[in-house]
Amino acid sequence: MVQATPLLLVLFLALGAHGASVKKCNLIGRWVNDLGSNMTITTLNAKGVFTGSYHTAVTATTNEIRLSPLQGSVQRPNQKGQPTFGFTVNWSFSDSITVFTGQCFVDDDGKEILKTMWLLRSRVEDIKNDWKATRVGINVFTRLEQQE
Ligand code: BTN
């Protein structure tokens, strides 16, 4: 009969090694998305509250683009490796607000990737135009590597 103990030990070690090698996704740092927008997350506290700045590559307005602040929240920052998060960008150069929600993944190559969806609310003068005031979309962010 096959001894169960060594078999269990091997299984335990294999699972342990796999668990240890899983890279955690960390929101802090510089990110670029599929539109070419840049985002920097600078602070993240123990409660998962974070802040940073956003430089969009595009705008729905004719205004000159300026760096804008962002504030967000990440779920269980000290636990599971691929957390969900949300953040708001309060645009400095327009009357609009964007909310993003997403998840921070680590792909098969160990590369971090933020899969997000967003709602961009533009200001309209008249309630009759409310129906066309919200845009929706997706953005995928990857980490901007340090330039040597
Ligand atoms: C505005 O046009 O009023 C503010 C800028 C909005 C930029 C949007 S937010 C969603 C999408 N993702 C980006 O990186 N930029 C656009």
Side-chain angles (χ1 to χ4, degrees):
M1 203 177 77
V2 183
Q3 284 279 322
T5 317
L7 213 65
L8 283 174
L9 187 67
V10 169
L11 195 68
F12 178 77
L13 287 174
L15 287 174
H18 175 72
S21 70
V22 172
K23 187 178 162 187
K24 278 196 180 177
C25 192
N26 171 23
L27 288 178
I28 292 277
R30 298 177 62 208
W31 301 87
V32 61
N33 74 17
D34 49 299
L35 292 170
S37 300
N38 284 273
M39 167 171 83
T40 305
I41 297 176
T42 40
T43 70
L44 169 64
N45 72 18
K47 288 184 174 168
V49 174
F50 62 85
T51 61
S53 57
Y54 201 105
H55 193 269
T56 180
V58 296
T59 174
T61 70
T62 53
N63 303 344
E64 189 186 326
I65 291 171
R66 284 197 276 127
L67 191 67
S68 302
L70 73 81
Q71 288 180 305
S73 199
V74 59
Q75 267 285 9
R76 305 181 213 286
N78 304 314
Q79 292 179 28
K80 293 175 192 152
Q82 302 197 102
T84 57
F85 60 87
F87 64 88
T88 302
V89 185
N90 189 339
W91 301 105
S92 305
F93 60 92
S94 80
D95 295 331
S96 314
I97 286 272
T98 302
V99 290
F100 287 81
T101 183
Q103 186 168 354
C104 188
F105 291 104
V106 179
D107 72 11
D108 290 345
D109 302 324
K111 248 184 67 183
E112 293 158 304
I113 180 162
L114 309 182
K115 298 279 252 177
T116 70
M117 282 198 77
W118 51 262
L119 291 172
L120 165 60
R121 174 70 196 204
S122 301
R123 182 180 173 278
V124 285
E125 199 61 47
D126 193 318
I127 197 171
K128 289 194 190 81
N129 292 327
D130 178 63
W131 65 271
K132 62 176 177 182
T134 307
R135 292 172 169 85
V136 61
I138 59 168
N139 278 141
V140 179
F141 294 81
T142 52
R143 194 176 281 285
L144 257 178
E145 302 300 340
Q146 301 271 50
Q147 300 292 323
E148 295 295 310

